[in-house]
Amino acid sequence: MEKAGKNAVERLGPEACWDLLRSDTVGRLAVVVQRRPDIFPINYVVDGETLVFRSAVGSKFWAGLDVESALEVDGYKPLTQMAWSVVAQGQIRIVLDPLEKKAADTLGRQPWEPGEKNIYMRVVPESITGRLFHTVKPDIWKISEVDRRRSAFE
Protein backbone atom coordinates (compact mmCIF):
# COMPACT_ATOMS: atom_id res chain seq x y z
CA MET A 1 0.00 0.00 0.00
CA GLU A 2 1.52 3.29 -1.10
CA LYS A 3 1.12 6.43 0.95
CA ALA A 4 -1.57 8.72 -0.37
CA GLY A 5 -0.57 12.37 -0.66
CA LYS A 6 -2.53 15.09 1.13
CA ASN A 7 -4.77 15.66 -1.91
CA ALA A 8 -4.67 12.22 -3.52
CA VAL A 9 -7.09 9.33 -3.43
CA GLU A 10 -5.09 6.13 -3.58
CA ARG A 11 -6.64 3.12 -5.30
CA LEU A 12 -5.77 -0.01 -3.34
CA GLY A 13 -4.77 -3.38 -4.74
CA PRO A 14 -6.43 -6.61 -3.60
CA GLU A 15 -3.77 -7.45 -0.98
CA ALA A 16 -4.13 -4.07 0.73
CA CYS A 17 -7.94 -4.42 0.60
CA TRP A 18 -7.80 -7.82 2.32
CA ASP A 19 -5.45 -6.41 5.00
CA LEU A 20 -7.97 -3.65 5.74
CA LEU A 21 -10.89 -6.10 5.82
CA ARG A 22 -8.95 -8.19 8.35
CA SER A 23 -8.50 -5.08 10.52
CA ASP A 24 -12.26 -4.64 11.01
CA THR A 25 -15.32 -6.76 11.73
CA VAL A 26 -18.38 -4.69 10.75
CA GLY A 27 -19.61 -3.89 7.28
CA ARG A 28 -22.71 -3.23 5.22
CA LEU A 29 -24.09 -5.95 2.96
CA ALA A 30 -26.02 -4.70 -0.08
CA VAL A 31 -28.50 -7.02 -1.81
CA VAL A 32 -31.74 -6.62 -3.74
CA VAL A 33 -34.90 -7.36 -1.75
CA GLN A 34 -38.18 -7.46 -3.71
CA ARG A 35 -36.55 -5.63 -6.65
CA ARG A 36 -35.18 -2.83 -4.42
CA PRO A 37 -31.65 -2.38 -3.09
CA ASP A 38 -31.32 -2.88 0.65
CA ILE A 39 -28.40 -2.68 3.04
CA PHE A 40 -27.83 -4.75 6.17
CA PRO A 41 -25.17 -4.21 8.81
CA ILE A 42 -23.27 -7.42 9.47
CA ASN A 43 -20.33 -8.47 11.54
CA TYR A 44 -18.02 -10.71 9.58
CA VAL A 45 -14.73 -12.55 9.67
CA VAL A 46 -12.26 -12.96 6.82
CA ASP A 47 -11.66 -16.60 5.88
CA GLY A 48 -8.98 -16.85 3.21
CA GLU A 49 -10.29 -14.59 0.47
CA THR A 50 -13.93 -14.85 1.50
CA LEU A 51 -16.03 -13.21 4.21
CA VAL A 52 -18.21 -15.26 6.57
CA PHE A 53 -21.15 -14.04 8.62
CA ARG A 54 -24.11 -15.62 10.38
CA SER A 55 -27.77 -14.84 9.85
CA ALA A 56 -31.27 -15.89 10.75
CA VAL A 57 -33.88 -16.75 8.14
CA GLY A 58 -35.20 -13.39 6.95
CA SER A 59 -34.79 -10.74 4.26
CA LYS A 60 -31.00 -10.96 4.19
CA PHE A 61 -31.10 -14.75 3.92
CA TRP A 62 -33.71 -14.92 1.16
CA ALA A 63 -32.28 -12.00 -0.78
CA GLY A 64 -28.76 -13.41 -0.57
CA LEU A 65 -29.49 -16.69 -2.30
CA ASP A 66 -27.80 -16.96 -5.70
CA VAL A 67 -27.58 -13.21 -6.32
CA GLU A 68 -24.88 -10.63 -6.67
CA SER A 69 -24.04 -8.73 -3.53
CA ALA A 70 -21.67 -6.05 -2.33
CA LEU A 71 -20.04 -5.77 1.08
CA GLU A 72 -18.66 -2.35 2.03
CA VAL A 73 -16.37 -1.69 4.98
CA ASP A 74 -14.75 1.61 5.85
CA GLY A 75 -12.52 2.95 8.54
CA TYR A 76 -10.60 5.90 9.88
CA LYS A 77 -7.15 6.03 11.47
CA PRO A 78 -7.05 9.05 13.80
CA LEU A 79 -3.27 9.05 14.27
CA THR A 80 -2.62 9.38 10.53
CA GLN A 81 -5.92 11.10 9.68
CA MET A 82 -6.40 8.55 6.88
CA ALA A 83 -9.79 7.18 5.84
CA TRP A 84 -10.34 4.04 3.79
CA SER A 85 -13.13 2.14 2.08
CA VAL A 86 -13.21 -1.38 0.64
CA VAL A 87 -15.97 -2.93 -1.49
CA ALA A 88 -16.12 -6.67 -2.20
CA GLN A 89 -18.59 -7.66 -4.91
CA GLY A 90 -19.64 -11.22 -5.61
CA GLN A 91 -21.92 -14.12 -4.79
CA ILE A 92 -23.25 -15.14 -1.39
CA ARG A 93 -23.44 -18.83 -0.72
CA ILE A 94 -24.92 -20.74 2.18
CA VAL A 95 -22.43 -22.82 4.16
CA LEU A 96 -24.01 -26.27 4.59
CA ASP A 97 -21.01 -28.50 5.32
CA PRO A 98 -20.77 -29.08 9.12
CA LEU A 99 -16.95 -29.17 8.95
CA GLU A 100 -16.90 -25.84 7.11
CA LYS A 101 -19.21 -24.35 9.79
CA LYS A 102 -16.97 -25.69 12.54
CA ALA A 103 -13.90 -24.20 10.83
CA ALA A 104 -15.72 -20.85 10.58
CA ASP A 105 -16.49 -21.00 14.32
CA THR A 106 -12.78 -21.27 15.11
CA LEU A 107 -12.22 -17.85 13.49
CA GLY A 108 -13.75 -16.18 16.53
CA ARG A 109 -16.60 -14.09 15.13
CA GLN A 110 -19.97 -14.34 16.85
CA PRO A 111 -23.11 -12.40 15.85
CA TRP A 112 -23.68 -9.15 17.72
CA GLU A 113 -27.46 -9.15 17.42
CA PRO A 114 -29.38 -11.43 19.79
CA GLY A 115 -31.41 -14.34 18.51
CA GLU A 116 -30.84 -17.48 16.50
CA LYS A 117 -28.14 -16.86 13.90
CA ASN A 118 -27.51 -20.44 12.87
CA ILE A 119 -27.23 -19.89 9.12
CA TYR A 120 -23.66 -19.43 7.95
CA MET A 121 -23.23 -17.34 4.81
CA ARG A 122 -20.08 -16.71 2.80
CA VAL A 123 -19.43 -13.78 0.45
CA VAL A 124 -17.20 -15.01 -2.37
CA PRO A 125 -15.86 -11.85 -4.02
CA GLU A 126 -15.41 -11.71 -7.77
CA SER A 127 -13.89 -8.25 -7.42
CA ILE A 128 -12.46 -6.25 -4.55
CA THR A 129 -11.64 -2.56 -4.70
CA GLY A 130 -10.55 0.01 -2.19
CA ARG A 131 -9.35 3.52 -1.67
CA LEU A 132 -7.34 5.40 0.91
CA PHE A 133 -7.20 9.14 1.40
CA HIS A 134 -6.00 11.79 3.81
CA THR A 135 -9.01 13.49 5.41
CA VAL A 136 -9.53 17.22 5.28
CA LYS A 137 -8.56 18.90 8.55
CA PRO A 138 -11.83 19.95 10.20
CA ASP A 139 -12.59 23.33 11.71
CA ILE A 140 -12.49 22.11 15.31
CA TRP A 141 -14.93 24.82 16.42
CA LYS A 142 -17.60 23.85 13.89
CA ILE A 143 -17.18 20.07 13.68
CA SER A 144 -19.89 17.78 15.01
CA GLU A 145 -19.09 15.86 18.19
CA VAL A 146 -19.73 12.56 16.36
CA ASP A 147 -17.35 13.26 13.46
CA ARG A 148 -14.60 10.58 13.56
CA ARG A 149 -11.92 13.13 12.65
CA ARG A 150 -12.47 15.01 15.92
CA SER A 151 -10.51 12.44 17.97
CA ALA A 152 -7.33 13.25 16.05
CA PHE A 153 -7.35 16.79 17.46
CA GLU A 154 -8.51 16.24 21.05
Side-chain angles (χ1 to χ4, degrees):
M1 179 169 26
E2 298 174 23
K3 299 216 183 231
K6 290 270 186 191
N7 296 318
V9 174
E10 177 189 345
R11 303 290 174 204
L12 302 174
E15 187 175 319
C17 290
W18 284 109
D19 287 345
L20 288 169
L21 289 174
R22 284 183 195 91
S23 75
D24 210 321
T25 60
V26 178
R28 285 155 295 285
L29 180 71
V31 293
V32 175
V33 177
Q34 297 178 0
R35 299 190 321 241
R36 299 187 75 147
D38 207 347
I39 298 173
F40 300 92
I42 63 168
N43 65 303
Y44 68 90
V45 63
V46 173
D47 184 14
E49 289 192 350
T50 67
L51 301 121
V52 178
F53 65 96
R54 289 172 47 186
S55 179
V57 174
S59 297
K60 185 176 12 174
F61 170 77
W62 292 111
L65 297 176
D66 298 321
V67 297
E68 293 293 315
S69 69
L71 176 69
E72 191 272 342
V73 180
D74 55 29
Y76 176 67
K77 299 178 181 183
L79 293 177
T80 60
Q81 298 173 29
M82 300 297 285
W84 58 270
S85 176
V86 172
V87 175
Q89 296 176 316
Q91 296 286 323
I92 299 175
R93 70 175 185 80
I94 307 282
V95 176
L96 298 173
D97 181 352
L99 293 176
E100 192 176 347
K101 287 181 180 182
K102 189 174 182 177
D105 283 338
T106 66
L107 300 173
R109 183 62 43 223
Q110 296 295 316
W112 284 9
E113 187 178 15
E116 289 280 326
K117 306 286 184 191
N118 54 5
I119 298 169
Y120 291 63
M121 302 181 86
R122 184 180 300 274
V123 177
V124 182
E126 295 164 4
S127 74
I128 186 165
T129 58
R131 61 193 192 117
L132 176 74
F133 57 92
H134 196 323
T135 59
V136 175
K137 185 175 180 178
D139 180 341
I140 199 68
W141 299 106
K142 295 180 182 176
I143 192 170
S144 164
E145 289 187 21
V146 296
D147 191 311
R148 291 185 192 181
R149 297 171 299 166
R150 187 178 187 90
S151 65
F153 301 98
E154 293 181 333

